[in-house]
Amino acid sequence: MNKQDTFTQLYRQYGPGIRKLCLGYTGDAAKADDLLQDTFMAVWNHLENFRGEAKWSTWIYRIAVNTCLVNLRKQKMQFVSDQDTVLHQLAEERSDTEQQVQLLYKSISQLRESDRVIIMLVLEDKPYAEIAEIIGITEANLRVKIHRIKKELTEIYQRHERL
Amino acid sequence: MSDFDSLKNIWQQEKPEAKPIPISAQAKSERSKMQRQFLVGSLLLFLTGIFIGAMALGLDLNFQQWYTYAAMGLVIAICWGQSFLIFSNYLSMRKIDESAAPGEHLKQWERYYHLRQSQNRWNTPLYFIMLNAAMGIYFIEIMSGRPWMNVAIVLGIYLAWVLYAYFVLGKKVLRKENQRLQTIIQELKALENQFEKE
């Protein structure tokens, strides 16, 4: 399989999931698309460097996580306030399910950056061993983090739900 | 509702969209923009050197003193040196491994910004001194034999501009750039800590 075919297949397989991760991280569709594009440009540029030591998904998700972390350092505060406005506007127009999804995005946005990334991988049902490899920490450390983040996210969500 | 499993259900209800492959559009990340700026900056300085060299060789300048040509050579060397430095920044940025673990990836960025910070400390004064030394040598022959009033006006304007550019504009830009780099380094450190501590 040549480089173009490999890339196309990787994009088809992982593109949607990565976009969801980016969307969860930014809460903004346009920014998520930019990050998706940057992620896959990095994938294209480094495709020859993939040595098969990790799974394709681990490798690609790592690139996506790094792209999100580095590109959105400065936008986190802005994101929360923008999201607030959008959420209030949409609250009355959307179905219950859509509102819950938006509320979840908002709750995730209030976590620390590293916690956002970890919890989205958990929500995607990625195995803990793979998340640990993506993030580059031990599985034991990851479990401790996940326990704390789950609690924190649930509390934030409940707080918003009550409002 | 809203224990964690309920949140997971909500999350998984949203089906990811399949979008077309982003093959042609330019990357929009800060990294890609900076890389493009480095490449363009490096190329422009390199071409400036070639332009000055072509002038020295191609035009009938008819300078009488060897050191006037040497000054032109020095300006070319400075342009190319600066071009090389900018290109090395481009290469340093390219070396940052996007597939490394996030903690390591953030460290690589931090090291890169420290490098930029240290470059700013020595590069700007050196560039200023070398370029103006070269221009000073160049002016010796250009100005010799001219009415002293004309020389005084030209040199006065030149010196005023150079000193203003270095001590007012340059220092301001440098201070801003250092603040920006320092903020980025602090943010990267904070992010690194998030991955390292629990």
Side-chain angles (χ1 to χ4, degrees):
Chain A
M1 201 185 288
N2 66 25
K3 187 178 176 182
Q4 179 69 57
D5 292 341
T6 309
F7 179 80
T8 307
Q9 196 180 328
L10 289 173
Y11 185 79
R12 286 208 182 109
Q13 193 170 349
Y14 299 109
I18 299 285
R19 185 173 184 276
K20 201 171 169 188
L21 178 93
C22 298
L23 191 58
Y25 193 83
T26 62
D28 179 303
K31 282 178 196 156
D33 286 338
D34 287 349
L35 288 178
L36 175 72
Q37 184 177 310
D38 285 335
T39 299
F40 275 90
M41 284 198 75
V43 168
W44 175 266
N45 290 335
H46 297 289
L47 209 51
E48 289 90 354
N49 302 343
F50 180 76
R51 290 183 294 273
E53 288 161 0
K55 289 198 288 186
W56 276 114
S57 71
T58 308
W59 187 73
I60 290 178
Y61 270 89
R62 250 191 190 181
I63 292 177
V65 166
N66 284 332
T67 306
C68 287
L69 287 171
V70 170
N71 281 297
L72 287 163
R73 279 177 291 106
K74 289 182 179 173
Q75 294 173 19
K76 58 186 174 186
M77 298 312 291
Q78 184 192 334
F79 160 65
V80 175
S81 55
D82 287 349
Q83 180 100 353
D84 270 342
T85 320
V86 174
L87 278 165
H88 285 145
Q89 284 169 350
L90 293 176
E92 289 171 12
E93 298 165 17
R94 292 194 165 190
S95 69
D96 279 355
T97 312
E98 282 170 324
Q99 281 187 38
Q100 284 172 342
V101 171
Q102 290 304 314
L103 206 57
L104 182 55
Y105 278 139
K106 183 184 178 183
S107 306
I108 291 172
S109 80
Q110 289 172 358
L111 296 170
R112 298 190 311 175
E113 291 87 343
S114 62
D115 294 350
R116 272 187 240 170
V117 168
I118 291 170
I119 207 64
M120 281 188 288
L121 294 170
V122 175
L123 288 166
E124 281 289 302
D125 262 342
K126 290 247 172 240
Y128 282 13
E130 190 175 352
I131 300 176
E133 206 179 338
I134 292 169
I135 302 298
I137 56 177
T138 63
E139 206 175 319
N141 190 359
L142 179 76
R143 283 180 188 279
V144 176
K145 280 180 188 282
I146 288 176
H147 179 74
R148 174 184 54 76
I149 305 167
K150 276 181 175 177
K151 195 164 167 269
E152 204 179 324
L153 179 64
T154 311
E155 281 170 7
I156 296 172
Y157 186 88
Q158 284 169 344
R159 217 167 34 235
H160 287 309
E161 205 175 32
R162 277 198 297 274
L163 290 172
Chain B
M1 74 174 286
S2 71
D3 58 351
F4 187 75
D5 287 334
S6 317
L7 298 185
K8 196 188 264 184
N9 285 338
I10 294 170
W11 177 265
Q12 289 176 352
Q13 273 171 27
E14 194 180 61
K15 297 287 170 245
E17 283 176 56
K19 292 232 165 192
I21 297 176
I23 40 169
S24 60
Q26 270 189 326
K28 291 170 184 155
S29 67
E30 201 175 331
R31 176 181 177 150
S32 312
K33 281 180 203 158
M34 284 196 288
Q35 282 186 337
R36 268 197 299 277
Q37 279 171 6
F38 283 146
L39 269 185
V40 171
S42 169
L43 186 69
L44 285 178
L45 273 169
F46 188 74
L47 291 176
T48 306
I50 289 181
F51 177 72
I52 296 169
M55 266 186 14
L57 295 173
L59 297 180
D60 189 17
L61 296 173
N62 206 20
F63 290 131
Q64 303 303 306
Q65 306 297 336
W66 64 268
Y67 51 73
T68 311
Y69 289 103
M72 290 179 88
L74 193 56
V75 173
I76 294 171
I78 293 163
C79 286
W80 285 353
Q82 197 65 15
S83 165
F84 175 76
L85 183 82
I86 296 174
F87 190 68
S88 75
N89 282 337
Y90 165 80
L91 290 180
S92 303
M93 194 179 274
R94 265 187 69 111
K95 273 191 204 148
I96 293 173
D97 181 7
E98 285 153 311
S99 62
E104 174 52 30
H105 179 74
L106 294 167
K107 278 201 178 79
Q108 289 179 18
W109 274 105
E110 199 189 320
R111 280 196 289 272
Y112 166 78
Y113 282 116
H114 274 301
L115 174 79
R116 290 286 306 278
Q117 237 181 357
S118 89
Q119 271 178 6
N120 278 349
R121 274 195 283 274
W122 61 262
N123 178 243
T124 313
L126 185 70
Y127 182 69
F128 174 80
I129 291 166
M130 296 286 287
L131 192 64
N132 286 295
M135 291 306 290
I137 297 168
Y138 180 76
F139 280 145
I140 295 173
E141 186 176 344
I142 300 291
M143 297 293 170
S144 65
R146 313 247 177 210
W148 69 269
M149 186 59 108
N150 292 2
V151 172
I153 290 170
V154 170
L155 285 184
I157 293 170
Y158 175 79
L159 274 176
W161 163 245
V162 162
L163 293 175
Y164 176 73
Y166 183 74
F167 287 103
V168 181
L169 289 182
K171 293 274 178 194
K172 198 172 154 188
V173 169
L174 211 61
R175 201 169 41 244
K176 263 182 143 176
E177 172 73 355
N178 271 333
Q179 275 170 359
R180 190 182 73 88
L181 293 176
Q182 196 53 42
T183 310
I184 293 173
I185 288 169
Q186 280 165 359
E187 284 173 355
L188 289 171
K189 275 203 175 113
L191 272 175
E192 279 169 43
N193 284 338
Q194 288 184 22
F195 285 98
E196 283 164 5
K197 287 180 184 163
E198 182 59 60

